[in-house]
Amino acid sequence: MQGDASDTVLVVGAGPAGLSAAASIAAAGFRPVVVEKEDVLGGAPILSGYAKLVPSGEWAKDAIGRMVARVEQDASTTVFKGTKVTGFEGEPGDFTATLSNGEHVKAGAAILATGFTHFDSINKPEWGFGTYEDVLTTTQMEQMVAGGKIFCPSDGRVPERVAILLCVGSRDRQIGREWCSKICCTVSTNLAMEIKELSPTTDVFIYYMDIRTFGLYEDKFYWKSQEEFKTKFVKARIAEVTTSGDGRLLVKGEDTLVKRPIVIPFDIVVHAIGMDPNEDNPEISKVFGVGLEKHGFIDRAEFYTSTCGTTRRGVFAAGSCYAPETIDDSISQGHAAAARAIAELHALARKKAG
Amino acid sequence: MANYAEMQQIFDDIRSDFRYDHELNGCLNCGVCTATCPSAHFYDYSPREIVQLLWTENVEQIYDAMQEKIWACAQCMTCAARCPFKNSPGGLVAIMREVAIARGLQSAKDVLRPFGRVMLKLITTGNQLSPDMIQPDHFPDWGPNIQKVEGDLKVLRKAIPVKTLQTVDTAWEVSLKTSVEMYTIWEMTGVLKSLEMMDENLFDVIEDFIDEKKEDYEDWLEEQDED
Amino acid sequence: MNPTDNTPGNHNANGDGATKPGFHNTDGQGIAGHGSFFQETNLSREEAVKATDWVRKHVDRRTVDLGDRMDDIREHMWELEREGEIIVHRITDAHKPMTVRTLFGWEKKIPTNQLWHHKSCGQCGNIPGYPTSLLWTMNQLGMQPGRDYLDETDQTSCTAWNYHGSGIGNVESLAAVFLRNFHQAYISGKQHGFDAGHFFPLVHCGTSFGNYKEIRKYLIESAELREKVKKILGKLGRLVDGKLVIPEEIVHYSEWVHVMRNRIASELQKIDVSNIRVTAHVACHYYKMVHEDAVYDADVLGGNRTAIITSVAQALGAQVIDYSTWYDCCGFGFRHIISEREFTRSFTMDRKIRVAREEANADVMLANDTGCVTTMDKNQWIGKTHEQNFQVPIMADIQFAALACGADPFKIVQLQWHASPCEDLVEKMGISWSETKKRFQEYLKEVEQGNIEYLYNPELAYGGAQ
């Protein structure tokens, strides 16, 4: 048996949200027990090999790496890797979690930082992913950027024209994904600049329904990508991606501002993939006894006075398990959830002391 | 030109169709419908424009679109398969066409006149196209090789090894009872009435034909009783 | 090189530009960025591959969790039956069904036996080799007419061509026609000594297929519509126990061809078609109308496009060639092919025939619907006047399959009704066009004498004995 319910908080998931939660709990003198189903810590930015993060411009491995190190080096923190929570019993102040490695953990509160699953482009087959080698996802393109050379996977040539399609797996009722994934616009403008910088002869076109580079990202990404990197924005949703006889990709859209259907050749087409609910959410919901909202993300408690709550008392949540979320905001939410958990333990201790 | 109240009435007819809310949920103005639209490649027609006009309740422009534009749609329904909002622009056009006919718009009459042959065939026989309609003189643009074997149409049709297909003036042989059942459907669903509104002469021809067939059927039924 | 402003997000800028939140220098030189300042992510090749593995992995689309947000209308159909509202015409073991997957991974049962042929007006009137090839193939597979399938005169067309073309007609009339024809399919076995439900409707036309599925959806969703058409069907004597009959699945003939493709190839194929370059045109009304019901197969086109047509062509061993306008409509347009012919022929020549010729150098374009075959077949000659002198033989998947299985190009496949250069394909398959044509012309003399060969006893068409 690990932990002591009076000062232990179970943190499920070690991505940006989980790592920040664990750090806050430890800094406040409590004991975090971190359970991560993968063999490495860091969550999506590490597991999927993100390149540079928005908005810092820092490499994921450096930025998230510091968060990982902070948690791993903390003496009061226990970390289980390659482990899942399979049972979760008890009540606030006295929970017992059963882990897949057979261990039991006593904890006074729990924080779900279980994240999301990338949308799999194979589910939007008319956009050519899985059919044509030169159709990639943003994640694959980030890998290419990280490799330092922009080329067509099919034959290695330098692309003259790259199209980035926004809202792949987002804002699409046809495939049951009605939400906006929040980060793809900014990530894509950033990617467009990175491509242009590495490959100055490559022109980048972004096909969009709306551009949502919210807050300070407007001029730092959206405007800048146009003014300095000559990224072209076309207000059009692509209908289909096919290939022409010469091997180039053809995208079919309507330029809605000039109101004409267009068919345009490209060398690479990039899917700006969205964020799905974690594919394990049905299991997570069952194990922790928390509800899911209609899209399949973790359901939030009343927000104003029960921030970071779920439908079960004593179980908190943070980050992209709630909804598509940025890395920065996931980190903030991790700290907020930690504060809620610690406050709960304090309150229970005071109550016990009478 | 209709006055505003009439145009409003036409719009009300459109949106009171029970399919309307099913086919129109809003619009993100993404243009995916127009991108895939075969008619948009050829005509001054855009399914996105149709959706926008309906969504913003622009009754004057809706009325205008109903004169010509809605007849450009090829009804392939690619738009509906692609729309991220699950609208069906093609389905909305179908509703608008029904309303144009119900209201007896002159433009609808003009557009449908050359289609009369198919309607005549359909309403009277339950088939929409027959071998005798596809003769070289009807479709000169289909070229001289419309058939690869010369010969009498009747004989060529007899050489089809399926009994029901050995016909000339229908695509397949439709039993009399089947035809009469279909006339009942036309009558009970108001199809004959809209046909009358569209083309009175065509309607007269069809009515005579139907009456004749019905009499034949009555006679046949009597024969059966006697047997 | 000195830090400049010209890097994304001003990563390298001094002064004002360096005040971005969260910015950290990581390379010890106050610089982090791309270009000449490129810095590795420090992922090893293995790590990098692993990091993007999830996108390379062919995750079966059929695992997409749509929750309650995507409705399967068939579930509501069973509810209606439980509530006593309708009777569902079931696909039983006797129909020897095979299960396929559709767009979202739902299962669909395709009956392979005891089929009621729901003919297509455009096919029968214009491309008769389409249905005859289908019936011939069924015979070759040992199916017995009158027991394993039925073709009869008690059927109307779906009337959707007219509706989509003219707007004359309405949901009620379309629904009444649907229910009338499918009621006839339901009871048709009785006059041949079988129970009701013996024959299951097999829809030949793509538009009928799409239209019937749309109408079925409206019927299941709208009690008001059911009430209205019940009156009509009652008057026609086409209710069963006072209820409407709706089939468990709406099944297109090309789905039958899809599930039978391996049997067709292994048991019937006589001609090697590995030298034939095939392009596929799948009908819009097959896979875009009520598109969640179209067949997808992980082993055909990676499951990324509907399997129909491609699957049978591949099973027969032909080369299937992709082309850029694969998704495009043929240009049929319902009314357009009759009275907007310039649109139809321009579109089909520019977006289909020219592309299949120039990009794919196709020996044949296969389609699975009436209007598409007609449009692409008939509009090639006029292309010459548009400076589009391109020709490609056009036929249905089942016609091509029948040819490969040794069917007579004239007597069975009835290619004499096609305007496109089908003789070129036939010759390439090693069949002499001129000799078979000569034999056919001799047969026509026999026909004139009344010596006609049939695929089934003609009496069956009128409900007669087997």
Side-chain angles (χ1 to χ4, degrees), chain C residues 258-427:
Chain C
H258 168 72
V259 298
M260 299 302 277
R261 67 194 185 280
N262 292 325
R263 275 195 65 194
I264 291 172
S266 64
E267 295 174 29
L268 306 181
Q269 188 171 4
K270 293 199 172 57
I271 294 173
D272 177 14
V273 293
S274 58
N275 62 331
I276 304 296
R277 295 170 65 87
V278 167
T279 43
H281 169 78
V282 189
C284 297
H285 285 193
Y286 173 74
Y287 76 105
K288 295 173 185 166
M289 270 176 103
V290 196
H291 59 304
E292 61 268 30
D293 190 62
V295 173
Y296 287 73
D297 184 321
D299 295 329
V300 181
L301 296 169
N304 292 321
R305 298 181 188 169
T306 179
I308 297 304
I309 298 179
T310 299
S311 67
V312 66
Q314 284 178 342
L316 293 166
Q319 307 166 37
V320 181
I321 315 291
D322 193 14
Y323 61 105
S324 62
T325 53
W326 191 94
Y327 290 103
D328 276 45
C329 164
C330 67
F332 178 65
F334 303 87
R335 189 180 57 86
H336 297 53
I337 192 166
I338 304 290
S339 48
E340 296 275 342
R341 302 220 300 254
E342 199 165 318
F343 162 80
T344 294
R345 67 197 185 211
S346 303
F347 194 84
T348 208
M349 282 308 293
D350 191 49
R351 301 287 299 178
K352 284 288 168 181
I353 306 303
R354 179 183 62 77
V355 185
R357 177 85 283 144
E358 287 192 327
E359 278 182 20
N361 193 22
D363 294 314
V364 66
M365 173 83 94
L366 299 182
N368 71 331
D369 185 25
T370 315
C372 319
V373 173
T374 306
T375 300
M376 295 188 293
D377 178 62
K378 297 284 192 274
N379 285 293
Q380 298 185 18
W381 180 81
I382 190 71
K384 291 173 192 167
T385 63
H386 292 248
E387 292 178 348
Q388 300 231 346
N389 190 10
F390 304 107
Q391 295 200 314
V392 177
I394 307 291
M395 63 184 68
D397 51 357
I398 189 66
Q399 288 178 291
F400 179 66
L403 282 176
C405 296
D408 188 299
F410 291 86
K411 268 184 178 171
I412 301 300
V413 188
Q414 299 271 322
L415 290 176
Q416 63 270 25
W417 304 95
H418 293 230
S420 60
C422 293
E423 46 271 53
D424 296 352
L425 174 75
V426 168
E427 289 281 344

Side-chain angles (χ1 to χ4, degrees), chain A residues 73-74 80 123 134 141 160 248 258 347:
Chain A
Q73 288 159 13
D74 181 78
F80 291 101
N123 294 310
D134 295 336
M141 201 65 197
E160 284 173 38
R248 281 186 115 184
V258 295

Side-chain angles (χ1 to χ4, degrees), chain A:
Chain A
M1 183 71 72
Q2 292 269 344
D4 170 350
S6 66
D7 70 352
T8 303
V9 179
L10 181 72
V11 178
V12 187
L19 291 169
S20 71
S24 268
I25 292 160
F30 287 75
R31 295 176 182 281
V33 174
V34 179
V35 181
E36 165 60 50
K37 70 173 175 182
E38 301 292 342
D39 294 332
V40 287
L41 305 187
I46 296 300
L47 293 167
S48 294
Y50 290 1
K52 288 187 301 181
L53 302 182
V54 167
S56 67
E58 259 204 271
W59 289 97
K61 195 142 187 176
D62 298 332
I64 307 299
R66 285 199 302 282
M67 297 183 72
V68 171
R70 182 172 57 165
V71 166
E72 283 193 319
Q73 288 159 13
D74 181 78
S76 63
T77 303
T78 310
V79 177
F80 291 101
K81 296 179 192 172
T83 307
K84 276 184 166 187
V85 178
T86 57
F88 189 75
E89 310 289 330
E91 51 194 79
D94 186 21
F95 290 116
T96 305
T98 308
L99 308 186
S100 56
N101 60 10
E103 295 247 21
H104 294 275
V105 176
K106 277 202 154 306
I111 295 171
L112 301 179
T114 46
F116 69 102
T117 298
H118 285 103
F119 174 73
D120 187 338
S121 272
I122 210 83
N123 294 310
K124 201 67 189 166
E126 66 267 28
W127 288 343
F129 182 82
T131 302
Y132 305 114
E133 282 179 274
D134 295 336
V135 179
L136 307 170
T137 66
T138 29
T139 316
Q140 287 176 310
M141 201 65 197
E142 291 214 11
Q143 280 297 306
M144 195 183 282
V145 167
K149 185 169 176 264
I150 303 298
F151 60 94
C152 295
S154 62
D155 62 0
R157 72 182 189 278
V158 174
E160 284 173 38
R161 296 157 59 79
V162 172
I164 301 178
L165 316 186
L166 297 186
C167 301
V168 179
S170 306
R171 306 177 73 199
D172 191 346
R173 186 174 273 142
Q174 291 285 0
I175 48 172
R177 279 149 176 86
E178 298 87 349
W179 55 86
C180 166
S181 289
K182 198 168 177 178
I183 49 110
C184 332
C185 285
T186 311
V187 164
S188 297
T189 50
N190 190 48
L191 191 58
M193 294 190 280
E194 292 175 332
I195 292 169
K196 187 74 175 174
E197 190 177 44
L198 274 177
S199 181
T201 58
T202 302
D203 290 327
V204 184
F205 293 73
I206 292 182
Y207 288 87
Y208 69 98
M209 292 201 282
D210 298 285
I211 290 290
R212 301 182 173 190
T213 46
F214 49 90
L216 302 183
Y217 301 163
E218 179 75 9
D219 63 331
K220 292 194 172 190
F221 290 92
Y222 185 21
W223 293 7
K224 186 183 171 99
S225 71
Q226 298 192 53
E227 288 171 347
E228 294 182 25
F229 294 87
K230 307 303 171 200
T231 306
K232 310 294 190 295
F233 288 81
V234 187
K235 184 160 171 23
R237 188 174 175 85
I238 296 310
E240 291 130 12
V241 177
T242 57
T243 182
S244 64
D246 63 4
R248 281 186 115 184
L249 298 165
L250 294 176
V251 305
K252 193 202 277 182
E254 183 206 359
D255 188 326
T256 57
L257 299 181
V258 295
K259 295 208 257 182
R260 287 315 301 167
I262 45 177
V263 178
I264 307 158
F266 281 96
D267 301 294
I268 290 179
V269 170
V270 183
H271 288 189
I273 47 170
M275 298 165 85
D276 274 6
N278 189 328
E279 59 187 355
D280 291 336
N281 272 3
E283 183 189 334
I284 291 165
S285 157
K286 216 170 134 197
V287 168
F288 289 94
V290 297
L292 303 178
E293 54 84 68
K294 73 164 185 171
H295 304 98
F297 291 97
I298 305 285
D299 205 4
R300 278 196 335 183
E302 180 274 324
F303 185 76
Y304 301 96
T305 60
S306 182
T307 313
C308 292
T310 67
T311 56
R312 182 170 182 182
R313 232 198 104 200
V315 179
F316 304 95
S320 57
C321 65
Y322 273 137
E325 194 50 273
T326 65
I327 290 172
D328 286 13
D329 286 354
S330 295
I331 291 169
S332 305
Q333 286 182 25
H335 290 303
R340 286 293 320 274
I342 293 163
E344 178 109 344
L345 293 190
H346 269 305
L348 286 163
R350 265 205 304 273
K351 202 173 161 190
K352 226 179 195 172

